[in-house]
Structure formats: structure tokens, C-alpha cells
Amino acid sequence: MALPDKESSPIFADAAAGTLRLIGYLALACVLMVLDHRNDWLHRARVTASLVVEPVYRLAAWPAEAAQDAGVAFSQRRALIDENRQLREALLLAQARLNRMNAVTEQNARLKQLLETRRMLGMNVQLARLINVDLGAARNRVMIDAGSREGVRVGQVVIDAHGVMGQVVEVLPHSATVLLITDANHSIPVVDERSGLRGIAHGSNVPDRLLVSDIPLSADVKVGDRVTTSGLGGRFPAGFPVGTIESIGPDPSGMFAQAIARPAAALARSGEVLLLRDLPEQVGPPTVAPEFGPPASLAPAGNAAAAPNDPAAAAALQKPVAATASGGTTP
Amino acid sequence: MNRQRAQNWIFGVSLALSLLLMLMPLPQTWAPLKPYWPALVLVYWALELPERVTLGLAFLVGLGADVLDGALLGEQALRLVALSFIVLRFRSRLRFFPMWQQALAVLVLLLNDRVLLLLVRLFAGDPRPPATFWLAPFTGTLAWPFVFLLLDDIRARLRAKET
């Protein structure tokens, strides 16, 4: 019963070569990961492959959407009637609130005009739908169905009806990836609405949980406080709801308090989201005061281009860098 | 010749479907339970058609998964290469295991895969994942017999149609 010599046993078949190849591929993968981590190769690869990648996303999202549609189609008439009534009531309430808001908005606009603020009050937003794709449970990201062709840019703020959802981190031609505020790599500057205390809310990778860390132990934060964006840092405009404080306790070091907040936005539920088009308040030093010295009408013709009422200059003010540059050249 | 083509066809389609399944969403509470489908399908093909499944193929599938997933280029390539290497090395034993033993082997493979993923994530600077991170290998183990039987059945049917 001797083993046949010619036929090498598959268990040990070119074991050394296999191991070498394994090491080679593992090394290649490691090099790729490091390079990607440093140079963001993956994004470029994804943009190049977007012609293939985007239809795959739509395809992968299709069953879940079909299931949702089927749920609607086969749900009980009774449930639909109930839902309809609830929606009607909600609409009425919202309408009433909106009417009141309209008055306030008008008043606000008038006051702002009085103060000669240049900022437009109307928010420029863009509607986008979530694509129902799972990008890995460990990372809190979602895909939306608008991309660079629709004018989406990296850094745009994404909100829903209840509050801030996150920001755009990657843009493909017809879709974009949004980093949710609950991602562990995301932080958002917030302010306690009641006490005015500022802080930073970090994601924790747990859905429905934000950490507001490094609060002084003596600070005035209570359970139930609403936190909103503070507008510091320039990425998120001020005043959007972020969450509600659920509990407060000392952090691991014992030197500061740490609060846990529940996000205001409905992060887990899919649907439509709004992308803020306007860049938030300008970053960096304030622009030069518009009316400085004698009235602009007395200035020689050459200076008229730098006058604040000029539309081009006003448009340039939307971009902070351009704004400071044009501000610097104003005599 | 025709059979070869059908074989190729199943091979490609099953791998593509596994990538698609990877992207399909589950309800929030079930999300951590989702098995790592590309790994299961690759294990099956590594057991059945070892001459087809090379480390290079595993690497390419992994790269494709990375481009779709958009997390970190090379992460899944590394995991799938390691996985298929182990399967190819122990193939002659794994193949003749009874189903439950095979499923246990798959569990060990998937747990090993999770450890690799954890290492990569920690190196990339991500925080420690929650305990539910370790659930997916177990559902993968439960799914293994079905993946195996389904693919085996499809192949057997094709073979029967041929003859």
C-alpha cells in the first residue's frame, strides 16, 4: 500500500509556492490599504468605476424598495384610513405653525433689512432620496441619489425634517455618500439651547446615540435639553436641531462630564433628505465693513467694482476665501 | 464545451450575486446578523473547483467588493485572500467532512475573518466595535448548508440536463 509517488498529494501540493503567493497578495493588500488611507485612492477608483458601481447600488436597493411598495400595496384599508387621518391632522397643525412662522419670517426679514444684512434669508436647498444600500454595519453612512451632476459637493450639510443628519463626504456622478452624525469619525459643534453652553457632539457608531464630551462638571446641562448646531467651525449653519440630552455622567477621566444625546433627525428611517446649498456663515476673519468712509457715490469710477452692492462682489462673498481676498483689495 | 460554459456562468453569477447580497439592506435590528456572503460563495467554489479559485481571483473579488463598499481599498481583498488560502490548503479534508463539521469549519473561518477585519479597523484608527460585531459569523454558519446545497443542486441539475 505505498502511496503513488507521481501523484503528489494535494494536501502538500506546491505548499511553498502557495504560501509565497499568499504573502505576496497579503502584502499587496496591505500596501493598497495604506496608500488608500493616505491618498484616498478608493474614491478615485469609485469615480472611475461609477458607471458600473451606481447601477449596482440601484439594483441592490431594488428588493428593499419593492418590499416597501408591496407593504403599502397590501396594507389594510383600515390602516391606510387611519394613517390618512393622522396625516391630515399633522398637516393642519403644520399649516397653522407655518402660518405663524410666515409672520415671524416676514418680520425677521424686515428687521434684517433694517440692519442691512446682506445675507439672503431664503434657504437654498435641494431634495434628494436615500438609496437603500447597506454600506456595512460598522460605518454610519448612507447613499443619496444626487451627485456631482446634480450639483452636490463634498461638505454639504444634509438635514431631514427633524434635524441635522450629516454631511456629504464623497460625490459620484449620480450619487453621493453621506456621513451621519452618529459615525464615530464625525463631530459636530453644538450649543445647548437652554443654557447656551457650547460643546462638540461626537458620533459613537451606535445608532441613536451622540456623545457630548468634555463638558465642565459645573456646567449647566440637564436631561431633556435640546442641542442645536452652534455654527462654529463654519461647516454647519447655526440653529438646526441636533438632538436631545438623555443622560449626563462623568467621563472616564472624572475631570469632565459627558452627556449622551439622542439625534433629532430620523437617521434610521429612509426617505427624502434636504441638502443645504448655501455655504454656512463665513469662516475666518470678517469681511471689511461695507460702508467705510464717504458714500460710494462719491468714489471714482474705478472703485465701483469693489462696492458691496455690486452683484459680483456679493456672489464672491458666498465663498469665504474669495470674500477675504476681495475684502483685502477694497481700499 | 457547453457544460463548461454553463459552469462558468454559474461561477460568475453566484459571485456577482454574493456581492449584490452584501449591499442589500436589512432592517436596522437585523443588520449585524447579515452573513458575509462573498466569503461563503468563495468557500464553496474553493471546495468544489479549486483549479478555478486562485488567490488572485479572491483578491479581485475582494477589490470589487471594496470598490462597491467604499470603506477601504484592499480590506476585503486581504480578508478573502486569507480565507481562500486556508480553504485551499485544507480542501481535501474539508470536502469530506459531514455537513455539521463543515459548518463548524466555516464558523472558524468566518471568525478568523472577523479577527482580520478587527485588526484592519483598529489599525485604521476606528474605535472598538460593539459586541454584535461577532454575531455575523454565526448566522454565516447557519446559512452555509443552504448555500452549499443550493449551489450543489443547481450544478447537479445542469449536469443532468447535459447528459
Side-chain angles (χ1 to χ4, degrees):
Chain A
M1 256 313 260
L3 282 168
D5 261 329
K6 267 184 263 171
E7 220 175 309
S8 59
S9 164
I11 304 180
F12 304 108
D14 59 330
T19 315
L20 262 184
R21 251 182 297 149
L22 171 76
I23 293 171
Y25 278 120
L26 291 189
L28 185 60
C30 289
V31 168
L32 265 183
M33 278 191 280
V34 171
L35 285 179
D36 178 38
H37 203 62
R38 297 243 181 283
N39 303 343
D40 203 18
W41 277 17
L42 181 59
H43 173 61
R44 268 175 262 168
R46 274 161 68 84
V47 169
T48 318
S50 63
L51 212 63
V52 182
V53 169
E54 288 182 336
V56 171
Y57 285 143
R58 302 292 205 280
L59 197 62
W62 179 76
E65 272 158 26
Q68 272 175 13
D69 290 349
V72 172
F74 294 114
S75 62
Q76 299 284 326
R77 193 161 158 265
R78 174 112 221 116
L80 283 179
I81 291 172
D82 274 355
E83 197 186 335
N84 198 337
R85 206 182 46 229
Q86 276 173 12
L87 287 177
R88 238 176 247 278
E89 282 168 13
L91 181 68
L92 204 68
L93 210 71
Q95 204 72 49
R97 229 176 256 159
L98 209 64
N99 286 338
R100 218 184 66 201
M101 286 299 290
N102 270 343
V104 176
T105 310
E106 264 170 36
Q107 185 190 26
N108 200 348
R110 222 171 42 240
L111 289 175
K112 285 211 166 180
Q113 264 177 4
L114 282 177
L115 287 170
E116 289 189 347
T117 43
R118 205 186 350 248
R119 272 178 34 127
M120 295 293 292
L121 193 70
M123 268 193 313
N124 192 357
V125 296
Q126 179 182 7
L127 194 73
R129 291 200 62 186
L130 291 187
I131 305 180
N132 215 345
V133 181
D134 186 3
L135 291 175
R139 285 166 199 262
N140 286 279
R141 296 171 305 167
V142 291
M143 301 234 34
I144 55 174
D145 71 347
S148 56
R149 298 277 165 81
E150 284 83 19
V152 177
R153 280 165 303 150
V154 168
Q156 274 190 305
V157 177
V158 180
I159 61 173
D160 74 353
H162 311 285
V164 178
M165 287 187 78
Q167 54 179 307
V168 175
V169 290
E170 189 197 46
V171 179
L172 297 177
H174 290 292
S175 53
T177 312
V178 176
L179 190 71
L180 296 180
I181 52 173
T182 48
D183 191 277
N185 290 324
H186 195 275
S187 304
I188 176 168
V190 293
V191 60
D192 186 322
E193 234 179 26
R194 187 179 54 80
S195 64
L197 180 87
R198 290 188 304 272
I200 292 183
H202 306 282
S204 59
N205 263 358
V206 180
D208 284 348
R209 174 184 276 210
L210 289 170
L211 287 177
V212 186
S213 55
D214 297 340
I215 308 170
L217 283 172
S218 60
D220 182 16
V221 179
K222 286 183 187 150
V223 172
D225 280 1
R226 278 156 48 88
V227 289
T228 58
T229 48
S230 67
L232 292 183
R235 177 56 61 92
F236 294 93
F240 283 101
V242 174
T244 315
I245 302 284
E246 281 197 322
S247 66
I248 302 158
D251 73 354
S253 73
M255 308 285 284
F256 291 96
Q258 194 180 40
I260 291 172
R262 165 176 287 274
L267 297 176
R269 275 162 275 158
S270 63
E272 268 99 15
V273 298
L274 289 177
L275 285 155
L276 294 194
R277 269 275 175 78
D278 280 338
L279 280 175
E281 313 226 347
Q282 296 149 25
V283 201
T287 50
V288 174
E291 293 289 330
F292 202 76
S297 53
L298 295 180
N303 274 359
N309 292 338
D310 187 283
L317 282 171
Q318 297 290 324
K319 298 219 168 182
V321 182
T324 47
S326 77
T329 54
T330 314
Chain B
M1 194 63 208
N2 201 3
R3 178 177 163 188
Q4 193 62 32
R5 262 182 50 201
Q7 189 84 265
N8 280 340
W9 195 77
I10 303 181
F11 186 70
V13 167
S14 63
L15 281 176
L17 267 185
S18 73
L19 292 184
L20 211 56
L21 273 175
M22 179 187 80
L23 282 176
M24 271 182 202
L26 285 181
Q28 183 94 32
T29 41
W30 293 12
L33 294 177
K34 192 162 71 169
Y36 187 29
W37 294 111
L40 291 181
V41 174
L42 255 188
V43 168
Y44 175 82
W45 288 116
L47 287 180
E48 295 296 318
L49 291 177
E51 68 279 359
R52 192 72 60 76
V53 179
T54 56
L55 294 186
L57 178 96
F59 191 80
L60 285 182
V61 172
L63 276 190
D66 280 325
V67 168
L68 286 177
D69 191 51
L72 185 64
L73 194 67
E75 175 198 290
Q76 303 202 45
L78 176 105
R79 288 159 63 195
L80 290 179
V81 164
L83 182 99
S84 46
F85 176 78
I86 300 172
V87 177
L88 289 174
R89 178 54 68 84
F90 295 105
R91 169 175 173 268
S92 31
R93 275 176 237 179
L94 289 174
R95 252 196 106 180
F96 298 106
F97 276 170
M99 184 51 86
W100 66 271
Q101 232 166 336
Q102 219 174 43
L104 275 187
V106 167
L107 173 65
V108 175
L109 281 172
L110 291 177
L111 280 175
N112 177 54
D113 179 62
R114 284 269 131 162
V115 172
L116 273 182
L117 175 61
L118 183 68
L119 282 180
V120 171
R121 289 265 160 91
L122 289 184
F123 267 117
D126 280 6
R128 201 173 282 273
T132 48
F133 177 75
W134 299 101
L135 283 179
F138 293 93
T139 45
T141 308
L142 291 181
W144 167 251
F146 298 99
V147 172
F148 187 88
L149 292 178
L150 180 74
L151 286 174
D152 240 17
D153 187 57
I154 295 174
R155 284 178 67 216
R157 265 161 210 256
L158 273 183
R159 228 172 288 147
K161 210 184 268 179
E162 270 317 301
T163 48

